[in-house]
Amino acid sequence: MVRPRPRRGAVPLNQLAEAYSDGAAAWADGPILVYRRLAERLVAFSPVPLEGRRVLDLGSGTGEGSRAALAAGARVIATDLAAEMLRVGRAGRPPSTAGDAVALPFRHDSFDVVLAPFSLNHLDDPADGVREAGRTGRLLLASTHAADDDHPAKAAVEIALGESGWERPPWYSKLKVSMAAWGTVEQARAVVERGGLDPVLIERHEIELADLGPRDMVAWRMGLAQSAAFVAALSADDRERVVARALHLLGPDPVPVVPRVIFVACEGR
């Protein structure tokens, strides 16, 4: 497959892959608390059982989608553009290879299901990833953040980091625009159809993670790719000051984390 020529203002995938590789360890210490549950819910959303099926975990990250699919009885292979993410917890994970979501190193119809938890929303045009997923698999299960997804921990952590010198990476602002491209059910349907697949089921879900305390919320936001490398470079004392400041801004009794997400199931025509 010929890779689409990058658009002006597109998300620079090489920078994105580097940021996620640099933040791989931090991801396993914080964001995993949120994304593990969301991956499990995406697998449960599947309109077909995954038991015995060949599943590609696309944009595998630290492997939460893989684990959920394996628990459902699937046979899994994982891929991610950020190779270091694939090395986290390597011993307990399925076979994997580095791969680009718009030029996957697999043959046509290699998989029964392509599982893409919060990965295609990193593309400048998610329809490009939908199209490639449809080439390699028969059913695509994908998730993205809803347009109104938010939590006070996001602002609290960004303010605390900013006071210590952190700045949003250039790719991050572009990524937010790309993610907004299919932040509603209607937009997600349009992306799927533009990618050449037929929607089977597209729904907006609110998933309450009531067990996450304030420190978990701060660890979630500080461990994301846009901030993980900056946090890792801080001294232990400076890092704890940032955490304390974020906790102060967040308050002692923050609202629960309730990710608002779009779940997508679609198949080839």
Side-chain angles (χ1 to χ4, degrees), residues 84-124:
E84 286 302 320
M85 286 291 235
L86 296 172
R87 295 188 176 98
V88 175
R90 177 65 263 161
R93 297 177 63 176
S96 64
T97 184
D100 188 329
V102 297
L104 291 168
F106 303 107
R107 294 179 180 177
H108 183 82
D109 281 345
S110 293
F111 301 95
D112 300 305
V113 178
V114 175
L115 180 68
F118 299 98
S119 57
L120 299 184
N121 56 349
H122 290 78
L123 298 174
D124 179 51

Side-chain angles (χ1 to χ4, degrees), residues 4 20 72 76 78-79 82 111 139 141 170 207 210 216 233:
Y20 272 86
V76 182
T79 187
F111 301 95
L139 176 73
L141 291 175
I207 302 171
D216 296 326

